[in-house]
């Protein structure tokens, strides 16, 4: 990757689509430390990759006021909706990054910041020639390992069976992670349901949940 192309990516990543105190600011070449995320310190920190319309994070943040939530979402309309909900409910323990997290995730954060990381329903890229675009792959697991604390948890969900099976194989080959209870589950108890997940449930889609602990 050329330096000019990387500079263009950073310019896009640091371009905030509209003004809000909920946005974090990025500086190329300077990783965000824990004390850069919020004015106050929280007991635990949670990262959601591709937060969509924000309904999962808003619900979790309201239930867990001692956790700081960082949301990464690149679409401005979804960010506006999330911020509107945060303001309406007076939620202060959430910050946003208007960034494509697939570009340079481990360049944004200092290592070992997060207690939990969530990746909910990423694009499955079902065609074989597009599999290289899938987020969940061995290189991505390297990044998750860097960002999680010891004993930190990674949550993954997909409604596409082949993607789930590929993810299970990745984790079987990676001894740095272990299942919380089983290799996958078809239910996720006591966890908010996004609009997308609700739509999938209503049409009878089987949903696979993979939860792993960093060891």
């Amino acid at each position: 990757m050329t330096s000019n192309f990387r500079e263009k990516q950073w310019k896009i990543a640091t371009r905030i689509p509209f003004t809000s105190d909920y946005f974090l600011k990025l500086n190329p070449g300077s990783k965000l430390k824990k004390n850069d995320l919020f004015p106050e310190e929280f007991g635990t920190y949670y990262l959601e990759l591709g937060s969509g319309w924000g309904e999962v994070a808003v619900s979790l943040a309201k239930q867990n006021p001692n956790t700081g939530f960082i949301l990464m979402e690149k679409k401005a309309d979804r960010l506006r909706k999330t911020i509107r909900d945060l303001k309406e409910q007076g939620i202060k323990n959430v910050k946003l990054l208007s960034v494509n997290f697939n570009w340079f995730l481990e360049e944004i954060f200092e290592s070992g910041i997060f207690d939990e990381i969530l990746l909910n329903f990423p694009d499955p890229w079902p065609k074989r020639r597009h599999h290289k675009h899938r987020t969940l792959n061995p290189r991505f697991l390297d990044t998750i390992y860097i960002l999680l604390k010891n004993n930190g948890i990674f949550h993954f969900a997909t409604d596409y069976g082949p993607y789930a099976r590929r993810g299970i194989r990745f984790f079987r080959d990676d001894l740095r992670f272990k299942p919380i209870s089983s290799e996958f589950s078809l239910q996720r108890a006591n966890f908010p349901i996004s609009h997308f997940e609700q739509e999938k449930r209503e049409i009878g889609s089987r949903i696979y949940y993979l939860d792993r602990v960093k060891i």
Side-chain angles (χ1 to χ4, degrees):
M1 185 179 296
T2 66
S3 60
N4 287 339
F5 181 69
R6 200 58 164 172
E7 288 175 7
K8 289 180 181 179
Q9 285 187 315
W10 269 110
K11 285 181 180 179
I12 294 171
T14 54
R15 185 187 306 150
I16 298 175
F18 54 92
T19 301
S20 174
D21 291 338
Y22 281 100
F23 282 121
L24 284 172
K25 293 183 179 180
L26 293 176
N27 294 309
S30 178
K31 294 184 179 181
L32 292 171
K33 301 177 176 61
K34 189 182 294 184
N35 58 9
D36 295 325
L37 304 180
F38 295 92
E40 68 274 32
E41 185 174 347
F42 289 97
T44 56
Y45 292 85
Y46 196 111
L47 174 65
E48 182 174 4
L49 303 173
S51 55
W53 299 101
E55 59 270 40
V56 170
V58 169
S59 179
L60 288 174
K62 191 172 183 179
Q63 296 169 20
N64 300 275
N66 195 39
T67 297
F69 289 82
I70 305 299
L71 315 185
M72 300 186 74
E73 173 57 53
K74 63 182 180 179
K75 295 187 177 180
D77 56 340
R78 296 178 178 183
L79 291 166
R80 290 182 188 276
K81 171 64 165 57
T82 300
I83 289 173
R84 185 164 61 248
D85 290 344
L86 292 170
K87 287 181 176 179
E88 288 177 355
Q89 299 189 47
I91 296 173
K92 305 293 185 183
N93 57 326
V94 174
K95 290 289 185 179
L96 309 175
L97 282 168
S98 176
V99 174
N100 184 333
F101 64 84
N102 287 301
W103 283 355
F104 32 55
L105 186 56
E106 64 188 64
E107 294 178 40
I108 293 176
F109 301 104
E110 196 174 53
S111 62
I113 286 184
F114 296 104
D115 297 86
E116 296 186 62
I117 297 176
L118 170 66
L119 178 60
N120 245 357
F121 301 97
D123 192 327
W125 294 102
K127 294 181 180 179
R128 182 174 294 276
R129 67 178 182 272
H130 294 153
H131 285 185
K132 62 184 178 181
H133 299 304
R134 287 177 174 175
T135 298
L136 188 60
N137 57 44
R139 180 70 186 89
F140 177 74
L141 294 186
D142 290 341
T143 300
I144 293 301
Y145 186 83
I146 290 169
L147 295 181
L148 281 174
K149 294 180 178 178
N150 290 334
N151 298 314
I153 299 172
F154 174 59
H155 306 283
F156 175 80
T158 182
D159 62 307
Y160 189 60
Y163 199 1
R165 291 190 287 273
R166 179 66 63 88
I168 290 169
R169 288 198 294 272
F170 289 150
F171 280 118
R172 283 177 181 170
D173 293 337
D174 195 326
L175 301 180
R176 300 172 298 177
F177 297 92
K178 68 177 181 179
I180 290 181
S181 57
S182 58
E183 286 196 313
F184 73 94
S185 174
L186 298 178
Q187 296 182 341
R188 181 187 272 168
N190 303 317
F191 198 86
I193 298 172
S194 69
H195 294 313
F196 179 83
E197 181 173 352
Q198 186 60 39
E199 290 175 353
K200 291 297 181 179
R201 289 186 176 200
E202 288 174 357
I203 63 174
S205 297
R206 174 175 288 185
I207 299 172
Y208 302 84
Y209 304 100
L210 282 63
D211 301 293
R212 296 295 188 273
V213 178
K214 171 183 172 177
I215 56 175

